[in-house]
mmCIF file of all heavy atoms in Angstrom:
data_model
loop_
_atom_site.group_PDB
_atom_site.id
_atom_site.type_symbol
_atom_site.label_atom_id
_atom_site.label_comp_id
_atom_site.label_asym_id
_atom_site.label_seq_id
_atom_site.Cartn_x
_atom_site.Cartn_y
_atom_site.Cartn_z
ATOM 1 N N PHE A 1 138.607 145.461 106.475
ATOM 2 C CA PHE A 1 137.861 145.862 105.434
ATOM 3 C C PHE A 1 138.653 145.796 104.085
ATOM 4 O O PHE A 1 138.248 145.246 103.105
ATOM 5 C CB PHE A 1 137.118 147.057 105.559
ATOM 6 C CG PHE A 1 136.073 147.594 104.548
ATOM 7 C CD1 PHE A 1 134.916 146.999 104.330
ATOM 8 C CD2 PHE A 1 136.593 148.428 103.557
ATOM 9 C CE1 PHE A 1 134.080 147.380 103.364
ATOM 10 C CE2 PHE A 1 135.680 148.901 102.567
ATOM 11 C CZ PHE A 1 134.434 148.261 102.344
ATOM 12 N N LEU A 2 139.919 146.459 104.187
ATOM 13 C CA LEU A 2 140.762 146.551 102.938
ATOM 14 C C LEU A 2 141.191 145.097 102.596
ATOM 15 O O LEU A 2 141.399 144.893 101.416
ATOM 16 C CB LEU A 2 141.843 147.416 103.242
ATOM 17 C CG LEU A 2 141.511 148.917 103.351
ATOM 18 C CD1 LEU A 2 142.809 149.702 103.830
ATOM 19 C CD2 LEU A 2 141.015 149.421 101.984
ATOM 20 N N ARG A 3 141.355 144.258 103.577
ATOM 21 C CA ARG A 3 141.809 142.896 103.246
ATOM 22 C C ARG A 3 140.701 142.170 102.264
ATOM 23 O O ARG A 3 141.015 141.515 101.373
ATOM 24 C CB ARG A 3 141.959 142.052 104.441
ATOM 25 C CG ARG A 3 142.575 140.638 104.353
ATOM 26 C CD ARG A 3 142.690 139.943 105.612
ATOM 27 N NE ARG A 3 143.417 138.690 105.379
ATOM 28 C CZ ARG A 3 143.564 137.762 106.319
ATOM 29 N NH1 ARG A 3 143.023 137.936 107.578
ATOM 30 N NH2 ARG A 3 144.191 136.522 106.059
ATOM 31 N N TYR A 4 139.458 142.304 102.725
ATOM 32 C CA TYR A 4 138.378 141.822 101.800
ATOM 33 C C TYR A 4 138.319 142.470 100.467
ATOM 34 O O TYR A 4 138.127 141.848 99.506
ATOM 35 C CB TYR A 4 137.028 142.029 102.485
ATOM 36 C CG TYR A 4 136.651 140.981 103.536
ATOM 37 C CD1 TYR A 4 137.143 141.209 104.935
ATOM 38 C CD2 TYR A 4 136.136 139.750 103.244
ATOM 39 C CE1 TYR A 4 136.870 140.239 105.901
ATOM 40 C CE2 TYR A 4 135.919 138.759 104.346
ATOM 41 C CZ TYR A 4 136.330 139.064 105.527
ATOM 42 O OH TYR A 4 136.161 138.134 106.527
ATOM 43 N N VAL A 5 138.548 143.763 100.428
ATOM 44 C CA VAL A 5 138.484 144.633 99.170
ATOM 45 C C VAL A 5 139.826 144.069 98.366
ATOM 46 O O VAL A 5 139.575 143.648 97.197
ATOM 47 C CB VAL A 5 138.767 146.044 99.544
ATOM 48 C CG1 VAL A 5 139.065 146.834 98.119
ATOM 49 C CG2 VAL A 5 137.510 146.676 100.072
ATOM 50 N N ASP A 6 141.011 144.008 98.885
ATOM 51 C CA ASP A 6 142.060 143.582 98.155
ATOM 52 C C ASP A 6 142.105 142.236 97.562
ATOM 53 O O ASP A 6 142.721 141.863 96.588
ATOM 54 C CB ASP A 6 143.380 143.841 98.873
ATOM 55 C CG ASP A 6 143.620 145.317 99.139
ATOM 56 O OD1 ASP A 6 143.048 146.224 98.474
ATOM 57 O OD2 ASP A 6 144.405 145.676 100.081
ATOM 58 N N ALA A 7 141.290 141.268 98.368
ATOM 59 C CA ALA A 7 141.179 139.897 97.934
ATOM 60 C C ALA A 7 139.947 139.578 97.097
ATOM 61 O O ALA A 7 139.762 138.565 96.497
ATOM 62 C CB ALA A 7 141.153 139.053 99.237
ATOM 63 N N HIS A 8 139.337 140.706 96.715
ATOM 64 C CA HIS A 8 138.194 140.798 95.843
ATOM 65 C C HIS A 8 137.043 139.862 96.361
ATOM 66 O O HIS A 8 136.146 139.384 95.602
ATOM 67 C CB HIS A 8 138.601 140.249 94.388
ATOM 68 C CG HIS A 8 139.610 141.113 93.755
ATOM 69 N ND1 HIS A 8 140.020 140.950 92.467
ATOM 70 C CD2 HIS A 8 140.178 142.280 94.003
ATOM 71 C CE1 HIS A 8 140.910 141.781 92.228
ATOM 72 N NE2 HIS A 8 141.033 142.738 93.145
ATOM 73 N N LYS A 9 137.087 139.743 97.689
ATOM 74 C CA LYS A 9 135.984 138.879 98.266
ATOM 75 C C LYS A 9 134.589 139.603 98.339
ATOM 76 O O LYS A 9 133.695 138.935 98.654
ATOM 77 C CB LYS A 9 136.521 138.457 99.719
ATOM 78 C CG LYS A 9 137.522 137.368 99.673
ATOM 79 C CD LYS A 9 137.818 136.912 101.074
ATOM 80 C CE LYS A 9 138.865 135.688 100.937
ATOM 81 N NZ LYS A 9 138.164 134.393 100.565
ATOM 82 N N LEU A 10 134.662 140.853 98.088
ATOM 83 C CA LEU A 10 133.245 141.580 98.177
ATOM 84 C C LEU A 10 132.740 141.720 96.779
ATOM 85 O O LEU A 10 131.496 141.964 96.715
ATOM 86 C CB LEU A 10 133.476 143.049 98.656
ATOM 87 C CG LEU A 10 133.916 143.184 100.137
ATOM 88 C CD1 LEU A 10 134.087 144.545 100.546
ATOM 89 C CD2 LEU A 10 132.895 142.365 101.030
ATOM 90 N N ASP A 11 133.456 141.389 95.788
ATOM 91 C CA ASP A 11 132.983 141.324 94.395
ATOM 92 C C ASP A 11 131.881 140.200 94.216
ATOM 93 O O ASP A 11 132.030 139.061 94.700
ATOM 94 C CB ASP A 11 134.012 141.012 93.300
ATOM 95 C CG ASP A 11 135.139 142.092 93.312
ATOM 96 O OD1 ASP A 11 135.069 143.042 94.218
ATOM 97 O OD2 ASP A 11 135.989 141.937 92.442
ATOM 98 N N GLY A 12 130.780 140.623 93.742
ATOM 99 C CA GLY A 12 129.651 139.718 93.552
ATOM 100 C C GLY A 12 128.834 139.462 94.765
ATOM 101 O O GLY A 12 127.787 138.724 94.628
ATOM 102 N N THR A 13 129.131 140.203 95.832
ATOM 103 C CA THR A 13 128.163 140.079 97.141
ATOM 104 C C THR A 13 127.260 141.043 96.982
ATOM 105 O O THR A 13 127.010 141.647 95.875
ATOM 106 C CB THR A 13 128.994 140.278 98.442
ATOM 107 O OG1 THR A 13 129.650 141.644 98.294
ATOM 108 C CG2 THR A 13 130.271 139.357 98.513
ATOM 109 N N THR A 14 126.427 141.226 97.968
ATOM 110 C CA THR A 14 125.224 142.134 97.770
ATOM 111 C C THR A 14 125.059 143.017 98.969
ATOM 112 O O THR A 14 125.456 142.858 100.097
ATOM 113 C CB THR A 14 123.847 141.328 97.577
ATOM 114 O OG1 THR A 14 123.796 140.444 98.716
ATOM 115 C CG2 THR A 14 124.026 140.398 96.363
ATOM 116 N N PHE A 15 124.139 144.028 98.745
ATOM 117 C CA PHE A 15 123.499 144.798 99.886
ATOM 118 C C PHE A 15 122.287 143.989 99.996
ATOM 119 O O PHE A 15 121.271 143.939 99.096
ATOM 120 C CB PHE A 15 123.294 146.299 99.612
ATOM 121 C CG PHE A 15 124.445 147.157 99.897
ATOM 122 C CD1 PHE A 15 125.171 147.626 98.685
ATOM 123 C CD2 PHE A 15 124.822 147.426 101.085
ATOM 124 C CE1 PHE A 15 126.302 148.362 99.012
ATOM 125 C CE2 PHE A 15 125.897 148.250 101.350
ATOM 126 C CZ PHE A 15 126.704 148.728 100.293
ATOM 127 N N TYR A 16 121.964 143.363 101.126
ATOM 128 C CA TYR A 16 120.931 142.481 101.408
ATOM 129 C C TYR A 16 119.878 142.830 102.393
ATOM 130 O O TYR A 16 118.784 142.298 102.625
ATOM 131 C CB TYR A 16 121.419 140.957 101.623
ATOM 132 C CG TYR A 16 122.227 140.964 102.843
ATOM 133 C CD1 TYR A 16 121.901 140.936 104.244
ATOM 134 C CD2 TYR A 16 123.706 141.081 102.581
ATOM 135 C CE1 TYR A 16 122.892 140.816 105.291
ATOM 136 C CE2 TYR A 16 124.580 140.945 103.656
ATOM 137 C CZ TYR A 16 124.140 140.917 104.919
ATOM 138 O OH TYR A 16 125.105 140.866 105.971
ATOM 139 N N ARG A 17 120.217 143.860 103.178
ATOM 140 C CA ARG A 17 119.411 144.359 104.319
ATOM 141 C C ARG A 17 119.200 145.926 104.136
ATOM 142 O O ARG A 17 120.066 146.510 104.038
ATOM 143 C CB ARG A 17 120.018 143.967 105.592
ATOM 144 C CG ARG A 17 119.221 144.315 106.820
ATOM 145 C CD ARG A 17 119.981 143.991 108.078
ATOM 146 N NE ARG A 17 119.419 144.370 109.194
ATOM 147 C CZ ARG A 17 119.823 144.595 110.453
ATOM 148 N NH1 ARG A 17 121.241 144.454 110.557
ATOM 149 N NH2 ARG A 17 119.154 145.038 111.463
ATOM 150 N N ALA A 18 117.912 146.321 104.232
ATOM 151 C CA ALA A 18 117.530 147.667 104.481
ATOM 152 C C ALA A 18 116.720 147.838 105.666
ATOM 153 O O ALA A 18 115.462 147.358 105.862
ATOM 154 C CB ALA A 18 116.717 148.174 103.180
ATOM 155 N N ALA A 19 117.277 148.392 106.839
ATOM 156 C CA ALA A 19 116.673 148.572 108.129
ATOM 157 C C ALA A 19 116.132 149.952 108.160
ATOM 158 O O ALA A 19 117.008 150.892 108.412
ATOM 159 C CB ALA A 19 117.641 148.141 109.151
ATOM 160 N N ARG A 20 114.932 150.154 107.922
ATOM 161 C CA ARG A 20 114.430 151.431 108.122
ATOM 162 C C ARG A 20 113.833 151.781 109.456
ATOM 163 O O ARG A 20 113.267 151.019 110.142
ATOM 164 C CB ARG A 20 113.148 151.614 106.934
ATOM 165 C CG ARG A 20 113.760 151.523 105.597
ATOM 166 C CD ARG A 20 112.688 151.704 104.480
ATOM 167 N NE ARG A 20 111.948 150.484 104.348
ATOM 168 C CZ ARG A 20 112.199 149.436 103.451
ATOM 169 N NH1 ARG A 20 113.279 149.637 102.631
ATOM 170 N NH2 ARG A 20 111.494 148.485 103.309
ATOM 171 N N ALA A 21 114.077 153.067 109.948
ATOM 172 C CA ALA A 21 113.509 153.425 111.303
ATOM 173 C C ALA A 21 111.960 153.483 111.136
ATOM 174 O O ALA A 21 111.467 154.108 110.103
ATOM 175 C CB ALA A 21 114.080 154.827 111.559
ATOM 176 N N LYS A 22 111.381 153.068 112.190
ATOM 177 C CA LYS A 22 109.936 153.145 112.184
ATOM 178 C C LYS A 22 109.388 154.536 112.123
ATOM 179 O O LYS A 22 108.390 154.859 111.610
ATOM 180 C CB LYS A 22 109.373 152.391 113.429
ATOM 181 C CG LYS A 22 109.662 150.944 113.243
ATOM 182 C CD LYS A 22 109.045 150.052 114.422
ATOM 183 C CE LYS A 22 109.327 148.610 114.311
ATOM 184 N NZ LYS A 22 108.898 147.836 115.506
ATOM 185 N N SER A 23 110.147 155.459 112.932
ATOM 186 C CA SER A 23 109.651 156.802 112.902
ATOM 187 C C SER A 23 109.946 157.649 111.751
ATOM 188 O O SER A 23 109.255 158.637 111.413
ATOM 189 C CB SER A 23 110.367 157.421 114.108
ATOM 190 O OG SER A 23 111.765 157.417 113.879
ATOM 191 N N ASP A 24 110.846 157.151 110.819
ATOM 192 C CA ASP A 24 111.246 157.925 109.640
ATOM 193 C C ASP A 24 111.779 156.913 108.638
ATOM 194 O O ASP A 24 112.898 156.591 108.788
ATOM 195 C CB ASP A 24 112.181 159.044 109.924
ATOM 196 C CG ASP A 24 112.515 159.852 108.617
ATOM 197 O OD1 ASP A 24 112.040 159.446 107.552
ATOM 198 O OD2 ASP A 24 113.336 160.814 108.866
#
């Protein structure tokens, strides 16, 4: 994870999935 952070590879990416529990 830190390798991606330090290489700035997460910059400009997204949170693309919201998996909500059916019960709550």
Side-chain angles (χ1 to χ4, degrees):
F1 184 76
L2 289 174
R3 188 179 184 193
Y4 282 89
V5 168
D6 293 341
H8 299 179
K9 286 185 175 285
L10 296 179
D11 295 6
T13 62
T14 63
F15 279 102
Y16 52 84
R17 181 183 177 205
R20 294 180 279 271
K22 292 180 180 178
S23 59
D24 181 359

